[in-house]
Amino acid sequence: MKENALQIYQSFLDKTSAALLQHDVDTFLRHILMPHQLETDDELIEFDDKETARQHFEGFAGALNSQGIDSYIRIAKAAEFVNQHCIVGEHESFMTAGGKLVVQPFMNSMQLEFAAGRWGLRKSRHFTKYVSWPSILPRP
């Protein structure tokens, strides 16, 4: 049975969330496509090399760890194929430590592209503000 866009999107979310919590930079970066674009309510971050992506990963994974976050759940709300190699979707993010929310849930959207035999993240939009991305956690 062929996976639908929502299944692919949710699977992508699960794999990359696990990589963040496990501080598995290699797995995470295999799912990031360059050039990459990350947008928040107050900033647009663009990078086109793995070293810059690694720095952003380390900052965000470090921030999660420093806040004791032990669960980073992202739930797909919608996803659709733009074409056979591109999915756009929306999801809600929940970050908890010891079963308690660390930040209020917030919405995101992503554009996934199929390249080199796997789905990768090209663009993401976090509907939240960041004091200093990626070292500070999201502020809805």
Side-chain angles (χ1 to χ4, degrees), residues 108-134:
N108 307 269
S109 64
M110 295 190 321
Q111 178 182 321
L112 304 180
E113 293 179 10
F114 193 77
R118 72 170 58 90
W119 288 97
L121 179 59
R122 176 71 67 194
K123 295 180 183 177
S124 58
R125 171 72 170 94
H126 299 256
F127 296 96
T128 186
K129 293 181 187 236
Y130 291 82
V131 176
S132 175
W133 177 265

Side-chain angles (χ1 to χ4, degrees), residues 25-26 29 32 34 47-59:
V25 66
D26 294 328
L29 291 182
I32 303 297
M34 301 298 157
F47 46 91
D48 57 6
D49 62 79
K50 291 288 186 184
E51 187 51 41
T52 304
R54 181 180 297 276
Q55 291 169 3
H56 284 279
F57 171 89
E58 293 293 346

Side-chain angles (χ1 to χ4, degrees), residues 5 12-13 25 33-34 36 38 45 60-61 63-64 70 73 75 77 89 96 103 106 110 115 117 120 126-127 132 137:
F12 184 90
L13 294 171
V25 66
L33 300 175
M34 301 298 157
H36 186 78
L38 168 66
I45 301 164
F60 191 52
L64 295 176
D70 53 18
I73 303 296
I75 301 173
K77 299 294 185 179
T96 63
V103 296
F106 58 97
M110 295 190 321
H126 299 256
F127 296 96
S132 175
L137 293 177

